[in-house]
Amino acid sequence: MCGIIGYVGEKDCVSILLNGLKRLEYRGYDSSGIAVLNKEDNRNEISMVKRVGNLKKLEKALSKKEMKGSLGIGHTRWATHGKPHRLNAHPHLDCKNEILLVHNGIIENWEPLKNELISRGHKFISETDTEVLVHLVEDYYNGDLVKAVRKALNKVEGSYAIVVMSKKSPNQLVGARQDSPLVVGLGNGENYLASDIPAVLEHTNKFLIIEQGEIANITKDKVEIYDRNEKLVNKSPFETNWDISSAEKEGYEDFMLKEIMEQSIAVRETYRSHVYKYKISLDESNLPIDIIKNIKKIFIVACGTSFHAGYVAKGVVERFARIPVDVEIASEFRYKDPIIPNPSLVIAISQSGETIDTIAAIREAKRKNAWILTISNVMESSAVRESDGAVYTFAGPEIGVAASKTHTAQIMICYLLSLYLAKVRGEITSAETAYYLNILKEVPSKIKSVLDNHSKIKELANIYYKFPDFIFIGRKYGFPAVMEGALKLKEISYVHAEAYPAGEMKHGPIALVGENCPVVAIADDSSVYNKILGNISEVKARNAPVVALTTIGNEKIKNLVDHVIEVPKIPEEFSAIINVVPLQLFAYEIAKKLGCNVDQPRNLAKTVTVE
Ligand code: AGP
């Protein structure tokens, strides 16, 4: 997830673009760039500055350079393809340095397109998927920039929001979108394109939304929008009353709620980035086939929410790939002198990639000659750099301290990795792989339907927010989800909560339950459903209020429990990615009801870089 912006008008736009990028920085901040065209004396001179690091680096470079122009584009990056590097920063140029483009999204078929363009003589300088786009536009450019962009986009698969400018048409910007957001900001004698409203809110509050597959042709005096059939679309602008800070939250009260609500997109982008035509690609993992075929054991090392994703991975890797998996708390693993048989694979999970305990666990595993793979949401993070390979989630930057969208994106990676290992080891066939991938492809819409049920969960929180203690119970694939549910409640509402495998309750914890200690149980359709029903009856017998998370259509359980949260049906192996979402919302609403600062909970930090 990156931030993009464009300006066409009379003013010198360098500071307009830079300030706009500052408003978009929460979208990505590992590198950035601005390019402007100076039309004075018909010179049509393009100047560009790109820097690695956050926007301050770009601002400093710009302050040292004489650069002006009244047409320009800018970008702040969250690396997906190609590490943070000046060559990979946007804008990208064509071979003649005449056409420039900034992009937010992922081009899935970039490799075959790149090879095709190289075979036709195009020269590439970056590792990005994006650069393919500007060379495609160049390939089709014949004096009409809108036409060239349309033809180029007809060739690509994936998600994009782009802004394109050309030396040959100094009064024009072209924008287009598919899945990634793009808005037009309407000014007086000037117009803007941007990833979202905050970027240009200080200049206008009049906007047009560019819909799926539309292309916008923008000059300083006019805006034309064409649909995918190249038909002109009539749109009426809307006026926003947002102030800058709320806009960054896109109207949500907190970053955490915004990030919870972004999960179907985060999971979809993560799936799409690794699945193409029913083939799972984990290229950056660099995992050698012989390692996959010969590994005797897998260790997963992580902390907090990432540890819970590791627990999900254990269930599905053992189920599909039939490899024994140990899930280890990283801060324990690094000091326990672990027994690591050779060859072993150690998977580190860390959204930030900067958690010191996880990095130290990686170093310990390396010392013991294990093969290290890191699952992270941040390219080039320390954990990634210390590993043999990496697999990325594409959730975009997460600002709320309590992880949400990075967690479900991690779980999607764990599912894909388990199928990938199983396929390579011959435990499942191509047909079975396609069958499971079809199920995973539907996960984003299932998550969306759970998020649409938000108000029901809010009503429940209004009933349960007064209780001082909670017990969460689950069995098999339900247990990692309740561990995460309990952690979310603890870390943002400061209410005491414990998670237990449901069968373990009668060995002690059941002593805690009663009318003042509600039980939240995962009781969805699964091979252990009848067992969990028994456990629910046990706690009901001790007067505990029970909230059951169950599959839509299960009426019977409503006679047994106090409240139900319904979730869409999915095979049990893949249930955690759905079941964790209502538990995030339950915790969020209880924390809100208790007046907690959910984005910056007390005593916590987003990235724990100290022991
Ligand atoms: C989760 O909400 C917390 N922020 C925390 O437990 C977090 O998961 C843990 O610190 C690990 O962080 P990482 O994924 O960046 O390594």
Side-chain angles (χ1 to χ4, degrees):
M1 186 160 100
C2 309
I4 66 176
I5 186 170
Y7 172 88
V8 54
E10 297 291 349
K11 297 189 189 111
D12 172 19
C13 63
V14 174
S15 60
I16 292 173
L17 297 171
L18 183 62
N19 291 339
L21 290 179
K22 285 182 185 163
R23 293 269 166 233
L24 293 169
E25 198 171 13
Y26 73 97
R27 303 176 69 86
Y29 35 80
D30 60 42
S31 49
S32 57
I34 282 177
V36 296
L37 185 142
N38 187 346
K39 287 178 273 189
E40 281 170 11
D41 323 328
N42 293 325
R43 275 184 292 170
N44 289 1
E45 207 175 71
I46 287 185
S47 28
M48 179 167 79
V49 175
K50 303 201 269 188
R51 284 293 180 277
V52 173
N54 64 23
L55 275 173
K56 288 203 175 51
K57 301 266 173 35
L58 182 70
E59 189 164 21
K60 198 153 159 250
L62 287 169
S63 65
K64 294 195 193 110
K65 182 166 173 145
E66 256 314 293
M67 192 166 146
K68 56 189 284 189
S70 54
L71 175 79
I73 57 178
H75 185 272
T76 180
R77 187 169 188 237
W78 188 266
T80 58
H81 295 76
K83 59 183 174 299
H85 186 283
R86 208 179 281 188
L87 289 177
N88 294 334
H90 303 203
H92 285 285
L93 292 107
D94 69 340
C95 298
K96 305 186 214 58
N97 293 341
E98 288 175 350
I99 301 172
L100 296 91
L101 182 147
V102 289
H103 167 228
N104 169 30
I106 295 166
I107 305 302
E108 289 161 19
N109 59 339
W110 66 280
E111 273 173 304
L113 289 172
K114 185 171 181 175
N115 300 336
E116 202 187 309
L117 287 158
I118 290 172
S119 68
R120 286 213 298 281
H122 285 264
K123 297 260 175 306
F124 282 73
I125 61 165
S126 81
E127 304 160 313
T128 66
D129 53 332
T130 300
E131 197 184 356
V132 164
L133 287 172
V134 72
H135 287 282
L136 274 175
V137 176
E138 175 187 14
D139 226 38
Y140 290 111
Y141 186 71
N142 192 7
D144 181 334
L145 193 58
V146 174
K147 259 212 169 55
V149 170
R150 170 62 73 194
K151 285 189 176 160
L153 295 176
N154 288 343
K155 296 269 289 187
V156 303
E157 285 160 27
S159 58
Y160 55 79
I162 58 171
V163 183
V164 188
M165 64 185 264
S166 164
K167 205 172 171 168
K168 291 267 175 63
S169 31
N171 303 307
Q172 177 188 33
L173 279 181
V174 175
R177 78 159 285 216
Q178 179 69 37
D179 290 335
S180 301
L182 191 63
V183 296
V184 180
L186 302 170
N188 256 334
E190 57 191 7
N191 287 309
Y192 308 82
L193 279 162
S195 291
D196 54 28
I197 290 170
V200 291
L201 194 55
E202 63 188 286
H203 308 292
T204 174
N205 68 342
K206 284 198 192 66
F207 293 90
L208 292 170
I209 300 287
I210 300 188
E211 300 297 349
Q212 294 288 59
E214 289 182 343
I215 285 192
N217 178 21
I218 314 259
T219 67
K220 68 181 177 61
D221 305 313
K222 80 174 187 323
V223 173
E224 293 166 340
I225 299 191
Y226 299 90
D227 66 14
R228 35 176 105 252
N229 308 318
E230 301 183 26
K231 246 175 63 279
L232 206 55
V233 185
N234 230 336
K235 277 181 192 270
S236 37
F238 72 90
E239 289 196 13
T240 173
N241 57 5
W242 284 351
D243 64 27
I244 288 284
S245 79
S246 72
E248 270 160 3
K249 294 175 190 152
E250 294 177 359
Y252 289 101
E253 228 174 300
D254 318 281
F255 280 110
M256 184 179 181
L257 184 59
K258 174 179 169 258
E259 288 153 7
I260 289 175
M261 290 304 173
E262 278 176 350
Q263 292 187 94
S264 52
I265 297 169
V267 168
R268 185 197 65 214
E269 288 302 319
T270 300
Y271 175 92
R272 280 188 171 175
S273 320
H274 296 287
V275 180
Y276 184 53
K277 291 193 175 148
Y278 297 107
K279 199 168 163 312
I280 302 170
S281 74
L282 303 176
D283 301 349
E284 306 99 331
S285 72
N286 308 330
L287 257 177
I289 298 299
D290 65 325
I291 288 270
I292 296 176
K293 289 198 167 148
N294 299 316
I295 39 180
K296 304 228 174 350
K297 189 159 186 186
I298 291 179
F299 295 81
I300 298 179
V301 293
C303 306
T305 289
S306 294
F307 171 79
H308 299 149
Y311 226 97
V312 175
K314 172 180 172 64
V316 286
V317 170
E318 290 182 344
R319 160 77 177 79
F320 294 118
R322 309 306 292 155
I323 308 169
V325 178
D326 279 6
V327 193
E328 306 270 355
I329 299 260
S331 53
E332 286 300 309
F333 182 83
R334 57 173 302 183
Y335 288 119
K336 71 175 234 179
D337 189 13
I339 304 161
I340 303 186
N342 194 13
S344 283
L345 170 63
V346 169
I347 301 175
I349 306 181
S350 174
Q351 80 85 16
S352 62
E354 302 300 342
T355 301
I356 200 69
D357 286 324
T358 307
I359 294 168
I362 290 171
R363 291 178 185 147
E364 175 64 7
K366 199 165 226 159
R367 219 170 52 72
K368 305 235 163 151
N369 302 320
W371 213 97
I372 319 287
L373 175 71
T374 284
I375 298 174
S376 181
N377 194 48
V378 184
M379 289 197 121
E380 290 304 304
S381 54
S382 310
V384 167
R385 287 201 306 277
E386 302 217 13
S387 303
D388 300 300
V391 182
Y392 296 109
T393 53
F394 291 102
E398 189 172 66
I399 297 171
V401 166
S404 57
K405 62 177 181 175
T406 55
H407 181 53
T408 42
Q410 283 169 346
I411 296 177
M412 178 53 84
I413 291 290
C414 295
Y415 292 157
L416 294 175
L417 184 62
S418 70
L419 297 176
Y420 178 78
L421 296 173
K423 177 77 179 51
V424 172
R425 288 166 73 98
E427 292 290 341
I428 60 174
T429 63
S430 302
E432 287 167 317
T433 308
Y435 166 75
Y436 293 127
L437 287 177
N438 258 331
I439 294 168
L440 293 181
K441 206 170 167 187
E442 300 311 315
V443 165
S445 59
K446 289 182 193 284
I447 289 179
K448 177 94 182 40
S449 70
V450 172
L451 294 171
D452 294 345
N453 196 17
H454 180 190
S455 57
K456 281 245 180 63
I457 298 167
K458 188 168 182 168
E459 284 162 25
L460 266 188
N462 291 343
I463 299 168
Y464 283 89
Y465 76 99
K466 291 201 188 86
F467 288 98
D469 301 290
F470 283 78
I471 298 266
F472 287 66
I473 59 172
R475 275 181 178 265
K476 209 174 174 185
Y477 301 103
F479 179 52
V482 292
M483 285 203 281
E484 180 58 11
L487 175 64
K488 283 283 132 349
L489 189 59
K490 277 184 274 204
E491 69 175 319
I492 61 173
S493 72
Y494 322 140
V495 170
H496 175 241
E498 294 300 339
Y500 288 98
E504 188 56 15
M505 288 292 286
K506 50 191 174 296
H507 303 289
I510 198 163
L512 292 170
V513 304
E515 55 203 32
N516 287 324
C517 177
V519 171
V520 177
I522 290 192
D524 56 348
D525 277 7
S526 78
S527 58
V528 288
Y529 176 71
N530 291 330
K531 298 297 171 201
I532 197 92
L533 270 193
N535 301 125
I536 290 174
S537 308
E538 287 159 7
V539 293
K540 274 313 294 169
R542 280 108 184 139
N543 301 324
V546 174
V547 177
L549 207 145
T550 195
T551 307
I552 294 170
N554 179 353
E555 294 304 316
K556 244 168 102 246
I557 197 168
K558 293 179 181 169
N559 308 328
L560 175 62
V561 301
D562 302 82
H563 298 96
V564 294
I565 298 174
E566 292 186 312
V567 291
K569 188 172 179 47
I570 192 166
E572 63 174 346
E573 291 89 346
F574 305 123
S575 58
I577 200 167
I578 305 290
N579 292 343
V580 77
V581 177
L583 300 181
Q584 294 164 345
L585 282 169
F586 187 63
Y588 171 83
E589 290 301 342
I590 286 182
K592 292 301 286 180
K593 194 74 189 165
L594 294 169
C596 301
N597 174 347
V598 292
D599 281 347
Q600 276 138 10
R602 70 185 186 202
N603 308 344
L604 294 179
K606 181 68 185 167
T607 307
V608 182
T609 51
V610 291
E611 259 203 71

